[in-house]
Amino acid sequence: MPLSPIMSRALAAIAITATASTLPAAQTASAEPVSCAQWTRHTVAAGYGILENLGFDGRGNLLLAEQSATGSSGTLQRLGADGSRSVAVSDVEGPGSILTAGDTAYFTTGNSVTAALTDRADGTIQALHLDSGTVQTVATGLTMPNGLAQLPNGDFVVSRDIGAGTLTRVTSDNIATPYVPSLSSTNGLAFDPHRNRLIVSTTFNPTSVIAAVDYADPDSPPRQAVIPGVGPLNSADDLTVGPDGKAYVTLNVAGAVQQVDVDTGRTCAIADGLPLSSSARFGSGPGWDPNALYVTSFLGTVTELTPP
């Protein structure tokens, strides 16, 4: 039987700590953690299965990547701002990250630890056309695609936090090549258009690193900020870039959300006591507060964090 995401995360933390390499330090920005005011929390929804990721469709709905207890089959759920629930896409094998661009919501499949440990290349990128509800396959042949981002030229980047892989760049004609091989155990991805860089989190390395990859020069050493604590015990998961240019990172095992300034290295926890937090996005579309951060968890909850 496939392992659940929760059990997989625990086993991977044990197995990978001994073998993961640290990242190049030349561009690392370090700073003592600073205190920041706690954001107010409010439970928006509960009772879902394991929630891996989320994304807003711009039409008043929140899309949720819901995995089953076995970590294989799942669905894309739709949560309305009014609390209504429906299924956007059924029978999704290992749904991962969700990325909305215009009238399309892209999402990854095959995001399971079984695929990672066996190098099973059955992962895909799918496109949900929001007007018609139809689903189209965009890319195939990927191994455990977890995080998802799109570069300015239209290429996609997917991450893999378990196994030998790292970031993979996928072109519009489904050609996959390694991307920024200096990064390992990669997970959360978000493209920062104002600074023209890809923000990346690492999950199981000895330290939790948030890296900024220069889109114009991806082969140069990425600038990095380090989140305090032991990497696997943090388990930095998905992230987003806020209007302030800072990264907001969910710490799955630590149960917290960190605000990270990659340029200065300053980090602080805006919320803790959020067990198994998996993903975060700022509100977008009718009914969702654009200043609030919405956080999913493996416990099937969606929490709204409002800044002080």
Side-chain angles (χ1 to χ4, degrees), residues 46-52 65-69 77 297-301:
Y48 284 103
I50 296 167
L51 294 181
E52 171 69 22
E66 182 186 51
Q67 293 195 1
S68 67
Q77 294 285 332
S297 79
F298 285 176
L299 300 180
T301 60

Side-chain angles (χ1 to χ4, degrees), residues 220-291:
S220 64
R223 178 173 290 277
Q224 304 161 19
V226 175
I227 296 175
V230 178
L233 298 183
N234 286 333
S235 284
D237 207 322
D238 197 30
L239 57 80
T240 191
V241 176
D244 55 6
K246 296 174 183 174
Y248 291 81
V249 187
T250 54
L251 304 186
N252 189 278
V253 173
V257 178
Q258 282 272 337
Q259 179 193 80
V260 180
D261 188 324
V262 182
D263 295 314
T264 66
R266 293 189 180 93
T267 69
C268 68
I270 63 169
D272 54 20
L274 296 172
L276 300 178
S277 299
S278 56
S279 186
R281 297 286 185 275
F282 281 90
S284 178
W288 300 97
D289 185 352
N291 298 310

Side-chain angles (χ1 to χ4, degrees), residues 9 12-13 16-17 20 23 146 159-162 184-188 200-210 230-238 249-253:
R9 184 59 53 97
I16 297 177
T17 304
L23 295 169
N146 191 336
S159 64
R160 175 182 174 185
D161 61 354
I162 300 174
S184 60
S185 192
T186 55
N187 193 321
V200 185
S201 66
T202 68
T203 301
F204 298 119
N205 288 332
T207 56
S208 301
V209 169
I210 309 303
V230 178
L233 298 183
N234 286 333
S235 284
D237 207 322
D238 197 30
V249 187
T250 54
L251 304 186
N252 189 278
V253 173

Side-chain angles (χ1 to χ4, degrees), residues 62-87:
L62 181 58
L63 299 175
L64 301 166
E66 182 186 51
Q67 293 195 1
S68 67
T70 63
S72 55
S73 61
T75 60
L76 246 60
Q77 294 285 332
R78 186 188 293 110
L79 173 65
D82 60 359
S84 60
R85 303 188 184 195
S86 58
V87 176

Side-chain angles (χ1 to χ4, degrees), residues 57-61 63 78 88-89 100-105 127-135:
D57 68 0
R59 291 159 165 74
N61 301 302
L63 299 175
R78 186 188 293 110
V89 184
T100 302
D103 296 331
T104 305
L128 168 62
H129 299 286
L130 296 169
D131 290 332
S132 65
T134 59
V135 177

